[in-house]
Amino acid sequence: LPIYLQGNVKAFLWDGWEAHGSLDYLSSFLFRQSFTQSFNEAIFAETHSTAYLTRKWSSYDFTVAVSRLQNFQDTAPGNYVIIRKTPEFNFDSADHPLIQGVPLWFSLESSFGLLDRSQPLFQSRQFTPRADAEPQITTALTFAGFHLIPSFTLHDTYYGESLDSSGRVNGLDLVRNAREVNVDLVIPSIERVFNHKTFMGDKLKHVIETRVHYRNISGVDNYSSVVRFDALDLLSDDSEAQFSIINRLYAKRGDRVDEIMTWELSQSRYFDPTFGGAIIPGQRNEVLATLDLRSEERRVGKECRSRW
């Protein structure tokens, strides 16, 4: 008997704690394709179920979560990938000053979880430990309207098991140490104000921003030995530059300013075509850079609103 369940719950608890939950369970992909009335739902082969408890204070954020992801490969019974996190703890810190009065900021992303991945012909340990810490140091330099924002990140990850040369789980511990350097250059923006009242507002402002971003990741020399649970495990060596032109349209109505449209045109140039050996010809390859090939908001604030 096919089963399809969906649901959401949210609760505000004591002392700033929040509880969230979403259920999305499907026992048969063929059942969804046969009876759904939505084309998007018929071709979407993933289901996500998550429950988490979270609390935010100051610049910190702590979350404990359990989750289940199921990806159907086709309509054949049993041909799917299941990834579980039971549970995963996350502790993050947003940018905050490292030294008072000095343009130096510290941030942190960290996690510890017990994970499991199962699929046809592959099964990880049921509770595979993974611990990750990513401290980051950022600074900012400003001159004549130009903004230069360099940052340095350490990626330290421990896995309780790894893969051998044939792609089978061997149970040996694995430690990954990588270094990441990012440099953002923001060129002074060009803007024009239209003092004509329209249905969008009393005034309009068109802003054109030009940005250059460079990223270098090194030290990932064991990419093929990492068990893939999520995007964290797709980190690879990388050297790339991204060039972006961003058009923003702001509308002002009274004292209120809203950004009503954003359009970004960007191009990325990769200087290491194999991503440190992570790309293997003749097979499907996934690296973190393929997920990051999209429009991104950098750390530079949108100061043009405050000028009005």
Side-chain angles (χ1 to χ4, degrees), residues 211-228:
R211 302 182 179 182
V212 180
H213 173 72
Y214 174 74
R215 176 168 68 174
N216 181 277
I217 302 175
S218 60
V220 184
D221 54 3
N222 46 17
Y223 182 83
S224 61
S225 300
V226 175
V227 182
R228 315 291 180 213

Side-chain angles (χ1 to χ4, degrees), residues 61-112:
D61 184 352
F62 175 76
T63 302
V64 54
V66 293
S67 64
R68 179 183 185 273
L69 181 150
Q70 185 171 11
N71 190 322
F72 293 89
Q73 306 301 295
D74 53 38
T75 57
N79 191 16
Y80 45 70
V81 179
I82 295 180
I83 298 176
R84 301 183 185 90
K85 299 181 180 181
T86 55
E88 184 177 51
F89 302 89
N90 294 271
F91 177 75
D92 301 330
S93 172
D95 288 329
H96 60 270
L98 190 62
I99 303 175
Q100 200 65 31
V102 178
L104 203 62
W105 296 271
F106 173 81
S107 63
L108 173 69
E109 293 183 7
S110 62
S111 65
F112 173 79

